[in-house]
Amino acid sequence: MGLLKSPAFTVASSTEAIAMLCHVRTSTASEPAYADIAGASRRMLPAELEACRTRGILHVAELHSGYETVVLARSKLYGAPKLSARDIFLALAAVVPDPARPWMPD
């Protein structure tokens, strides 16, 4: 069709993806795998960034593309859960606001 190849996607942990980006052979890989782009759920560790630099990968950019996701699932046997957006927010909140003093953080 065109001059560009279809991209290849690999499922890997954050550590494995960063190792592939930095051309580091992991102990679990029989063949070296390389990546042009790596997705991770955490920032690179200083040691990982240094591993990239020692292999000639000098320019690494980190892009924050979103936030963590929470998936709520329930068996079809029990019907839809009766949860409001407020219920879910309060269940996940680090600090639950006091309705009597909403202006005062705890």
Side-chain angles (χ1 to χ4, degrees):
M1 269 177 82
L3 299 174
L4 300 176
K5 289 195 232 176
S6 295
F9 294 92
T10 302
V11 177
S13 69
S14 294
T15 301
E16 292 167 337
I18 292 169
M20 290 168 57
L21 180 70
C22 298
H23 301 183
V24 175
R25 184 181 211 150
T26 62
S27 59
T28 60
S30 58
E31 293 286 322
Y34 303 114
D36 295 318
I37 297 174
S41 61
R42 62 173 176 79
R43 295 194 72 177
M44 288 181 77
L45 301 173
E48 291 168 330
L49 189 55
E50 185 58 33
C52 280
R53 288 188 179 127
T54 60
R55 287 167 177 78
I57 301 158
L58 306 176
H59 304 288
V60 175
E62 290 182 317
L63 304 173
H64 187 187
S65 62
Y67 297 96
E68 295 293 327
T69 302
V70 174
V71 176
L72 302 175
R74 188 170 177 170
S75 169
K76 291 180 180 180
L77 299 174
Y78 301 104
K82 301 205 176 0
L83 296 172
S84 69
R86 182 179 188 278
D87 294 333
I88 296 168
F89 170 80
L90 291 175
L92 298 172
V95 176
V96 177
D98 181 355
R101 301 181 313 165
W103 61 89
M104 295 287 292
D106 288 336

